[in-house]
Every structure is written in structure tokens, then in C-alpha cells.
Amino acid sequence: MSIPIRISWRATALGLGLALCTAAAPAAEAQAAFPHKRVTIVVPYSAGGITDTLARTLAAKLATLWGQPVVVENRDGAGTIIGTSAVARTPADGYTLLFTSYAYTSNPVLRRQLPYGPDAFRPVGLMGSSHNVLLVTNRLRGQSLQHLIDRAKAEPGSLKLASSGPGSSPHLGAELFATKAGIGFTHVPYKGQGPAMTDLMAGVVDGMFDGMSSYALVKSGKVAAVAIASEQRHPDAPEIPTFKELGMDFVSGSWFGMLAPAATPDAVVQQINADLHRAVEDPAVRAQIAKTGLLVALSTPEAFGQYLQAETKKLQALVKSGVRIELN
């Protein structure tokens, strides 16, 4: 005996309507003006460092410009690889961005393999650059650069220099300094600038290369500055001599900028770049950036890409010249 099955035309129409709405939702979202929901900026360093500070300064202003929440998420560890690879796996729609610095260019040169490919990202915009300053703990205050070098030569490995992570600008700065000075040292890596600076102030380590973002700690007497690795003295810290003035031809520093997953649409990338410029033009944002000692140098996505290529070639040339920097 067969049992008749009755299907309501209303239920059929409702189901069909829901199916059509569900199918149309992604298309409608894709066509919506950017941004129409929360944007996440991933910083592959711990909270409290200059990269994190700059990202939060930008995020606050971008949230105002966009009328949408802009959240900064710290995903530190493994020399920035954890946070960087996480962004590489996200949808390429502009809603998850990477705000990073020097390790982005050093990791592909210094590490044997990475969990993301060389073309995983596209440049959005360079924000600026900063030169490294050799900072020392207060128990070494007043000691000259030559004194530190002499001690390191007399007691190989006794000089403990911190960094914000393997392959970071402070790490590479220390390695290049050691090569120039002909000394050895003990590298003490941390998960970001914040915890490294905490231990420097406590005297756990002897010194650290860091940008002018730490100058406030120098002025307050919490750490001491020996020399800055730039061509000229910094206008905000004219009392800090350059390494060149002290007899060492040594220039070192970092950059800070925004990147997005490689397939992010051109229109979205160009809009974010334009809004980064608008954000930095705000006097209040400029004032916050000035506190970090960053030299602002905004660029187009294309110019930022060329800058990254040039930085990579510099590192490759250093490695080929015999400077040995081994990372896990």
C-alpha cells in the first residue's frame, strides 16, 4: 500500500527562497563597499613594542575613518612566523591585515623553510623607518663603546644582547655589530620588544639594539644609550653619537608597514593605502608617532614592494659576503 506524500507549495517556495538567499549572501557581501564589518590587524609581536604601538595608533584612526571596529591582535612567537603564517591563511578580502617589520624580509633569507610561500602577501603601504640604538643596562652606564668591545674580546660570550626575536632588526643589528667589532656575544631572544626591554631595565641582559621608540627610557634614566647606527645624529636625540663618530662604519635599522594576503583585490589595497595616508595626516596621530621616534615615509603599494625587494637584496648580499646568522 502506497502512502501519498503531500508537499506544501508554501514550504517549497520558502525553502527555495532560503536557498536563493543563502547562495546570494556571499555575492552580496563581496559587492558591499569596503569595509562593511570589523577589520583585524595582526601584529606578529607581543604587546608593548613599537610595532604594536604603531598598529594600535593606526587602528584607532582607521576605525574612525571607516566607521567599523578595527581590532589589533597580537600573535607573537617563532620570530613572527606564527602571526605571519596565520594571516597568510585568511581570506584575501582586506578584513585581516598584517602590520609587521624587519623580520618579514629577514626570515625568507635566513631560514631554511617557512610555512608560507614567498608570494603569500602583497604590499599595502610602508609607514616609516627607524635606526637602531645600542642601549645598555644602568650598571654599564658611562662605559664607552670601546670598553664594551674590549670586554667582549677578553671574555668571549660574556656580552649578553637581547632582541625582540630571531631574525628581527635588533637581532640582525647585534650580529652585524659583532661582525664589525670582531667580537662574539650571547644572543638572548624574546617574544617582542616589551619583554626584552623589561629584562634590560632589570639588568638581566647587558644590552639591546632598539629604535628611537625607547628614547623615553633613556631620558628617564632607566637605560643608557651608547650610539645610534645611522648616518647622522637623530634630531630628537642630538646627544647620542653615531657609530661612525666613534670609529665604526655601522648603519642598521628597521621598517614598519602593512601587508595583505596576495589575492586581496587591487581596489581594496588602494583604498587601505589611501586611508593610511589620511590617518597619518591627522595631527594627533602624527604626535603619537613622533613619540616612537619613527621617521615617517609613506608610500604607494608599488613603491613599498620595491622597497621590500631592495631590503631583501641587502640581506642576501650580507649572507653572501660571509656574515653567518643561523636561525632554526
Side-chain angles (χ1 to χ4, degrees):
M1 177 178 176
S2 62
I3 301 175
I5 300 175
R6 296 172 180 262
I7 302 177
S8 167
W9 70 269
R10 290 187 177 86
T12 303
L14 178 61
L16 180 59
L18 287 173
L20 290 173
C21 289
T22 302
E29 182 169 321
Q31 294 174 3
F34 177 88
H36 63 273
K37 60 181 181 179
R38 186 182 78 173
V39 175
T40 299
I41 299 176
V42 173
V43 174
Y45 296 94
S46 60
I50 182 173
T51 314
D52 176 64
T53 299
L54 290 171
R56 292 180 186 277
T57 300
L58 286 175
K61 184 60 181 180
L62 289 174
T64 301
L65 293 175
W66 290 340
Q68 297 291 343
V70 180
V71 179
V72 174
E73 181 180 326
N74 297 94
R75 302 197 65 173
D76 58 310
T80 73
I81 293 176
I82 291 177
T84 304
S85 59
V87 178
R89 296 191 298 268
T90 61
D93 54 11
Y95 288 95
T96 304
L97 302 167
L98 178 70
F99 191 82
T100 189
S101 57
Y102 195 80
Y104 177 81
T105 44
S106 66
N107 278 333
V109 177
L110 303 177
R111 296 182 185 273
R112 294 179 181 177
Q113 56 182 331
L114 293 171
Y116 51 89
D119 299 321
F121 292 91
R122 63 179 301 174
V124 175
L126 173 68
M127 187 173 181
S129 60
S130 176
H131 285 96
N132 282 328
V133 179
L134 174 55
L135 304 171
V136 294
T137 186
N138 273 330
R139 59 183 166 78
L140 298 178
R141 179 179 291 276
Q143 294 190 8
S144 67
L145 176 64
Q146 191 59 51
H147 182 91
L148 294 174
I149 293 174
D150 290 343
R151 171 200 156 189
K153 287 182 176 179
E155 304 172 37
S158 63
L159 183 64
K160 294 189 292 185
L161 298 179
S163 82
S164 53
S168 63
S169 175
H171 176 206
L172 278 246
E175 295 284 0
L176 294 173
F177 162 69
T179 299
K180 289 279 186 180
I183 62 172
F185 74 99
T186 298
H187 175 219
V188 186
Y190 289 81
K191 292 183 178 181
Q193 179 210 39
M197 190 57 64
T198 297
D199 273 7
L200 176 62
M201 290 188 289
V204 176
V205 293
D206 297 316
M208 175 182 175
F209 279 89
D210 199 20
M212 282 294 292
S213 59
S214 297
Y215 184 57
L217 299 176
V218 176
K219 289 196 295 184
S220 64
K222 295 180 179 179
V223 295
V226 177
I228 185 169
S230 59
E231 296 288 349
Q232 299 176 338
R233 296 193 183 199
H234 196 285
D236 294 335
E239 76 281 7
I240 303 177
T242 67
F243 278 89
K244 287 190 174 184
E245 291 177 68
L246 300 179
M248 182 181 292
D249 186 11
F250 174 51
V251 176
S252 171
S254 187
W255 55 265
F256 303 88
M258 189 90 75
L259 297 105
T264 304
D266 288 339
V268 173
V269 169
Q270 294 296 338
Q271 180 182 333
I272 296 173
N273 179 272
D275 290 335
L276 284 175
H277 281 70
R278 290 174 61 198
V280 175
E281 287 170 1
D282 185 293
V285 173
R286 283 271 180 174
Q288 288 295 319
I289 294 175
K291 293 179 182 179
T292 70
L294 183 77
L295 299 175
V296 176
L298 296 171
S299 73
T300 63
E302 295 75 20
F304 186 27
Q306 294 170 1
Y307 178 89
L308 293 176
Q309 290 177 2
E311 288 296 301
T312 299
K313 289 180 180 179
K314 287 181 185 178
L315 286 171
Q316 291 171 335
L318 286 172
V319 172
K320 289 180 180 179
S321 71
V323 176
R324 298 189 62 185
I325 303 172
E326 297 180 358
L327 303 178
N328 295 330

Short mmCIF file of all heavy atoms in Angstrom, two decimals, residues 40-79:
data_model
loop_
_atom_site.label_atom_id
_atom_site.label_comp_id
_atom_site.label_asym_id
_atom_site.label_seq_id
_atom_site.Cartn_x
_atom_site.Cartn_y
_atom_site.Cartn_z
N THR A 40 40.59 43.20 11.21
CA THR A 40 41.58 42.76 12.20
C THR A 40 42.99 43.01 11.66
O THR A 40 43.30 42.64 10.53
CB THR A 40 41.42 41.26 12.50
OG1 THR A 40 40.13 41.02 13.06
CG2 THR A 40 42.49 40.79 13.49
N ILE A 41 43.81 43.67 12.46
CA ILE A 41 45.22 43.89 12.12
C ILE A 41 46.05 42.99 13.02
O ILE A 41 46.05 43.15 14.25
CB ILE A 41 45.63 45.36 12.32
CG1 ILE A 41 44.81 46.28 11.41
CG2 ILE A 41 47.12 45.54 12.05
CD1 ILE A 41 45.09 47.76 11.62
N VAL A 42 46.72 42.03 12.43
CA VAL A 42 47.55 41.10 13.19
C VAL A 42 48.96 41.65 13.31
O VAL A 42 49.58 42.03 12.31
CB VAL A 42 47.59 39.70 12.53
CG1 VAL A 42 48.59 38.78 13.24
CG2 VAL A 42 46.19 39.08 12.54
N VAL A 43 49.46 41.72 14.53
CA VAL A 43 50.85 42.12 14.80
C VAL A 43 51.58 40.87 15.28
O VAL A 43 51.22 40.31 16.31
CB VAL A 43 50.91 43.22 15.89
CG1 VAL A 43 52.35 43.53 16.26
CG2 VAL A 43 50.20 44.47 15.40
N PRO A 44 52.61 40.41 14.55
CA PRO A 44 53.29 39.17 14.93
C PRO A 44 54.32 39.35 16.03
O PRO A 44 55.32 38.62 16.10
CB PRO A 44 53.94 38.73 13.61
CG PRO A 44 54.23 40.00 12.91
CD PRO A 44 53.10 40.95 13.27
N TYR A 45 54.12 40.35 16.88
CA TYR A 45 54.97 40.62 18.04
C TYR A 45 54.10 40.75 19.27
O TYR A 45 52.88 40.93 19.17
CB TYR A 45 55.75 41.93 17.84
CG TYR A 45 56.73 41.92 16.69
CD1 TYR A 45 56.35 42.39 15.44
CD2 TYR A 45 58.03 41.47 16.86
CE1 TYR A 45 57.24 42.40 14.37
CE2 TYR A 45 58.93 41.47 15.80
CZ TYR A 45 58.54 41.94 14.57
OH TYR A 45 59.42 41.93 13.52
N SER A 46 54.71 40.69 20.45
CA SER A 46 53.96 40.84 21.69
C SER A 46 53.52 42.29 21.87
O SER A 46 54.03 43.20 21.22
CB SER A 46 54.82 40.41 22.88
OG SER A 46 55.98 41.22 22.96
N ALA A 47 52.57 42.50 22.77
CA ALA A 47 52.06 43.84 23.05
C ALA A 47 53.13 44.68 23.74
O ALA A 47 53.97 44.16 24.47
CB ALA A 47 50.82 43.75 23.93
N GLY A 48 53.11 45.98 23.47
CA GLY A 48 54.00 46.90 24.16
C GLY A 48 55.18 47.39 23.36
O GLY A 48 55.80 48.39 23.73
N GLY A 49 55.53 46.70 22.26
CA GLY A 49 56.65 47.12 21.44
C GLY A 49 56.24 48.18 20.43
O GLY A 49 55.07 48.54 20.32
N ILE A 50 57.22 48.67 19.67
CA ILE A 50 56.93 49.75 18.73
C ILE A 50 55.98 49.29 17.62
O ILE A 50 55.09 50.05 17.21
CB ILE A 50 58.23 50.32 18.12
CG1 ILE A 50 57.90 51.48 17.16
CG2 ILE A 50 59.05 49.24 17.42
CD1 ILE A 50 59.11 52.22 16.64
N THR A 51 56.13 48.06 17.12
CA THR A 51 55.23 47.58 16.06
C THR A 51 53.80 47.56 16.55
O THR A 51 52.87 47.99 15.85
CB THR A 51 55.66 46.18 15.58
OG1 THR A 51 57.06 46.15 15.38
CG2 THR A 51 54.95 45.81 14.28
N ASP A 52 53.60 47.07 17.76
CA ASP A 52 52.28 47.03 18.37
C ASP A 52 51.74 48.43 18.60
O ASP A 52 50.57 48.72 18.30
CB ASP A 52 52.35 46.26 19.69
CG ASP A 52 51.04 46.26 20.44
OD1 ASP A 52 50.07 45.68 19.93
OD2 ASP A 52 50.97 46.84 21.55
N THR A 53 52.58 49.33 19.10
CA THR A 53 52.16 50.71 19.37
C THR A 53 51.71 51.42 18.10
O THR A 53 50.67 52.09 18.07
CB THR A 53 53.31 51.50 20.02
OG1 THR A 53 53.65 50.88 21.26
CG2 THR A 53 52.91 52.95 20.27
N LEU A 54 52.50 51.27 17.03
CA LEU A 54 52.15 51.91 15.76
C LEU A 54 50.86 51.33 15.20
O LEU A 54 50.01 52.07 14.69
CB LEU A 54 53.29 51.72 14.76
CG LEU A 54 54.58 52.49 15.06
CD1 LEU A 54 55.70 52.05 14.13
CD2 LEU A 54 54.36 53.99 14.94
N ALA A 55 50.69 50.02 15.30
CA ALA A 55 49.48 49.38 14.77
C ALA A 55 48.25 49.88 15.51
O ALA A 55 47.20 50.15 14.89
CB ALA A 55 49.60 47.86 14.90
N ARG A 56 48.34 50.02 16.82
CA ARG A 56 47.19 50.48 17.60
C ARG A 56 46.88 51.95 17.33
O ARG A 56 45.71 52.36 17.34
CB ARG A 56 47.44 50.23 19.09
CG ARG A 56 47.47 48.74 19.42
CD ARG A 56 47.71 48.43 20.89
NE ARG A 56 47.85 47.00 21.05
CZ ARG A 56 46.83 46.14 21.16
NH1 ARG A 56 45.58 46.60 21.13
NH2 ARG A 56 47.04 44.85 21.28
N THR A 57 47.91 52.74 17.10
CA THR A 57 47.69 54.14 16.75
C THR A 57 46.93 54.25 15.43
O THR A 57 45.97 55.03 15.31
CB THR A 57 49.03 54.88 16.64
OG1 THR A 57 49.72 54.82 17.90
CG2 THR A 57 48.83 56.33 16.25
N LEU A 58 47.35 53.46 14.44
CA LEU A 58 46.67 53.45 13.15
C LEU A 58 45.26 52.88 13.27
O LEU A 58 44.31 53.42 12.67
CB LEU A 58 47.46 52.61 12.15
CG LEU A 58 48.75 53.23 11.60
CD1 LEU A 58 49.47 52.22 10.71
CD2 LEU A 58 48.44 54.49 10.81
N ALA A 59 45.11 51.81 14.02
CA ALA A 59 43.80 51.15 14.14
C ALA A 59 42.75 52.10 14.70
O ALA A 59 41.60 52.12 14.23
CB ALA A 59 43.92 49.91 15.03
N ALA A 60 43.13 52.89 15.70
CA ALA A 60 42.17 53.81 16.31
C ALA A 60 41.67 54.83 15.30
O ALA A 60 40.47 55.15 15.24
CB ALA A 60 42.82 54.51 17.50
N LYS A 61 42.57 55.35 14.47
CA LYS A 61 42.17 56.34 13.48
C LYS A 61 41.40 55.71 12.33
O LYS A 61 40.41 56.28 11.85
CB LYS A 61 43.41 57.08 12.94
CG LYS A 61 43.08 58.21 11.97
CD LYS A 61 42.20 59.27 12.62
CE LYS A 61 41.83 60.38 11.65
NZ LYS A 61 40.97 61.41 12.28
N LEU A 62 41.83 54.53 11.88
CA LEU A 62 41.13 53.86 10.79
C LEU A 62 39.70 53.51 11.20
O LEU A 62 38.78 53.57 10.37
CB LEU A 62 41.89 52.60 10.37
CG LEU A 62 43.21 52.83 9.63
CD1 LEU A 62 43.92 51.50 9.42
CD2 LEU A 62 42.98 53.53 8.30
N ALA A 63 39.51 53.14 12.45
CA ALA A 63 38.15 52.83 12.93
C ALA A 63 37.24 54.04 12.79
O ALA A 63 36.07 53.93 12.43
CB ALA A 63 38.21 52.36 14.38
N THR A 64 37.79 55.22 13.06
CA THR A 64 37.03 56.46 12.91
C THR A 64 36.73 56.74 11.44
O THR A 64 35.61 57.11 11.07
CB THR A 64 37.81 57.64 13.52
OG1 THR A 64 38.05 57.38 14.90
CG2 THR A 64 37.03 58.93 13.37
N LEU A 65 37.74 56.57 10.58
CA LEU A 65 37.55 56.83 9.16
C LEU A 65 36.57 55.86 8.52
O LEU A 65 35.78 56.24 7.65
CB LEU A 65 38.90 56.74 8.44
CG LEU A 65 39.96 57.81 8.77
CD1 LEU A 65 41.26 57.49 8.05
CD2 LEU A 65 39.45 59.19 8.36
N TRP A 66 36.61 54.61 8.94
CA TRP A 66 35.80 53.57 8.31
C TRP A 66 34.42 53.39 8.96
O TRP A 66 33.53 52.79 8.35
CB TRP A 66 36.54 52.25 8.32
CG TRP A 66 37.72 52.21 7.39
CD1 TRP A 66 37.96 53.03 6.34
CD2 TRP A 66 38.83 51.29 7.45
NE1 TRP A 66 39.14 52.68 5.71
CE2 TRP A 66 39.69 51.62 6.37
CE3 TRP A 66 39.17 50.23 8.28
CZ2 TRP A 66 40.88 50.92 6.11
CZ3 TRP A 66 40.35 49.54 8.04
CH2 TRP A 66 41.20 49.88 6.96
N GLY A 67 34.29 53.84 10.20
CA GLY A 67 33.02 53.62 10.88
C GLY A 67 32.80 52.16 11.22
O GLY A 67 31.66 51.71 11.37
N GLN A 68 33.89 51.42 11.36
CA GLN A 68 33.84 50.00 11.70
C GLN A 68 34.91 49.70 12.75
O GLN A 68 35.94 50.39 12.80
CB GLN A 68 34.10 49.13 10.47
CG GLN A 68 33.08 49.25 9.35
CD GLN A 68 31.73 48.66 9.72
OE1 GLN A 68 31.62 47.89 10.68
NE2 GLN A 68 30.70 49.04 8.97
N PRO A 69 34.72 48.68 13.57
CA PRO A 69 35.75 48.31 14.55
C PRO A 69 37.03 47.85 13.84
O PRO A 69 36.97 47.13 12.85
CB PRO A 69 35.12 47.16 15.33
CG PRO A 69 33.65 47.26 15.07
CD PRO A 69 33.52 47.83 13.69
N VAL A 70 38.17 48.29 14.33
CA VAL A 70 39.46 47.83 13.83
C VAL A 70 40.23 47.29 15.04
O VAL A 70 40.61 48.05 15.94
CB VAL A 70 40.26 48.95 13.15
CG1 VAL A 70 41.59 48.42 12.64
CG2 VAL A 70 39.46 49.56 12.00
N VAL A 71 40.42 45.99 15.06
CA VAL A 71 40.98 45.30 16.22
C VAL A 71 42.42 44.89 15.95
O VAL A 71 42.73 44.35 14.89
CB VAL A 71 40.15 44.05 16.57
CG1 VAL A 71 40.75 43.31 17.76
CG2 VAL A 71 38.71 44.45 16.86
N VAL A 72 43.31 45.15 16.91
CA VAL A 72 44.70 44.70 16.81
C VAL A 72 44.84 43.40 17.58
O VAL A 72 44.48 43.32 18.76
CB VAL A 72 45.68 45.75 17.37
CG1 VAL A 72 47.11 45.20 17.39
CG2 VAL A 72 45.62 47.01 16.52
N GLU A 73 45.36 42.39 16.93
CA GLU A 73 45.54 41.07 17.54
C GLU A 73 47.02 40.72 17.55
O GLU A 73 47.66 40.64 16.50
CB GLU A 73 44.75 40.02 16.74
CG GLU A 73 44.84 38.62 17.30
CD GLU A 73 44.03 37.64 16.48
OE1 GLU A 73 42.97 38.02 15.94
OE2 GLU A 73 44.48 36.48 16.35
N ASN A 74 47.59 40.53 18.75
CA ASN A 74 49.00 40.15 18.88
C ASN A 74 49.12 38.63 18.78
O ASN A 74 48.54 37.90 19.59
CB ASN A 74 49.56 40.61 20.22
CG ASN A 74 49.56 42.12 20.35
OD1 ASN A 74 48.63 42.70 20.90
ND2 ASN A 74 50.59 42.75 19.85
N ARG A 75 49.86 38.16 17.77
CA ARG A 75 50.11 36.73 17.60
C ARG A 75 51.62 36.55 17.44
O ARG A 75 52.13 36.39 16.35
CB ARG A 75 49.33 36.17 16.40
CG ARG A 75 47.83 36.37 16.51
CD ARG A 75 47.04 35.49 15.57
NE ARG A 75 47.19 34.08 15.90
CZ ARG A 75 46.50 33.09 15.31
NH1 ARG A 75 45.63 33.39 14.36
NH2 ARG A 75 46.69 31.84 15.64
N ASP A 76 52.30 36.62 18.57
CA ASP A 76 53.75 36.58 18.55
C ASP A 76 54.27 35.14 18.61
O ASP A 76 53.51 34.20 18.80
CB ASP A 76 54.31 37.38 19.74
CG ASP A 76 53.80 36.85 21.07
OD1 ASP A 76 52.57 36.68 21.21
OD2 ASP A 76 54.60 36.60 21.97
N GLY A 77 55.58 35.01 18.45
CA GLY A 77 56.23 33.71 18.57
C GLY A 77 56.90 33.27 17.29
O GLY A 77 56.52 33.67 16.19
N ALA A 78 57.95 32.45 17.45
CA ALA A 78 58.70 31.86 16.33
C ALA A 78 59.25 32.92 15.39
O ALA A 78 59.26 32.76 14.18
CB ALA A 78 57.84 30.87 15.57
N GLY A 79 59.74 34.03 15.97
CA GLY A 79 60.33 35.07 15.14
C GLY A 79 59.37 35.67 14.15
O GLY A 79 59.73 35.96 13.01
#
